[in-house]
Amino acid sequence: MKALIVEDEALIALDIKKTLINLNYDVVDMLSNDMEVFEFLHNNPMPDIFIMDINLGESSLNGMQIIQKIKTKYPDIKVIYLSGYSDNTTAQSILASDPLGYIVKPFKREKLEKILKEV
């Protein structure tokens, strides 16, 4: 499976990449903002799964907004969201978007592995 990591914290992105590779995923790229995502999708095939941070620092769109835009053309995309926030409002809005999973940062690698093994 081809995976695209969208995470603005490089160390977290690298750790996710290592986890995905260990599970035999093909990591097609690691991006950090909305413009990079849309440019990637314009020039490459759609990945099988997105590992998407919610808050992307310098990005003009957050991770959920990026996925909503992509879903207008590809409604069946698979996404696992990452967030540093675990409040009820954030959790409810994430879960309402029907992701494969929602992981609160910081997280243990085993939590990501468990979700990915269920895909």
Side-chain angles (χ1 to χ4, degrees):
M1 279 187 110
K2 295 185 182 309
L4 179 63
I5 299 168
V6 185
E7 167 61 65
D8 62 325
E9 295 180 51
L11 291 177
I12 292 174
L14 288 170
D15 190 47
I16 293 168
K17 181 179 181 179
K18 183 177 179 181
T19 301
L20 290 168
I21 289 170
N22 286 340
L23 293 171
N24 296 317
Y25 278 80
D26 177 15
V27 177
V28 293
D29 211 337
M30 296 187 310
L31 309 173
S32 64
N33 63 56
D34 58 332
M35 297 307 290
E36 291 177 349
V37 172
F38 296 126
E39 182 178 336
F40 174 89
L41 293 176
H42 180 72
N43 296 312
N44 298 280
M46 180 63 64
D48 298 308
I49 188 169
F50 287 79
I51 310 298
M52 177 71 71
D53 188 16
I54 299 291
N55 298 304
L56 294 169
E58 307 269 328
S59 184
S60 60
L61 298 176
N62 69 35
M64 288 185 64
Q65 292 167 325
I66 294 169
I67 293 297
Q68 286 172 344
K69 281 188 170 261
I70 297 168
K71 278 190 171 190
T72 61
K73 191 171 181 182
Y74 301 97
D76 296 326
I77 61 171
K78 296 176 182 160
V79 60
I80 296 172
Y81 286 115
L82 309 172
S83 178
Y85 300 95
S86 60
D87 60 277
N88 283 339
T89 303
T90 301
Q92 287 175 352
S93 62
I94 291 170
L95 295 174
S97 70
D98 197 30
L100 292 175
Y102 163 48
I103 301 173
V104 177
K105 296 188 288 185
F107 62 90
K108 294 187 185 274
R109 188 177 295 159
E110 293 80 19
K111 174 127 181 157
L112 178 59
E113 287 176 355
K114 182 180 181 219
I115 293 170
L116 289 167
K117 285 179 182 177
E118 294 172 0
V119 173

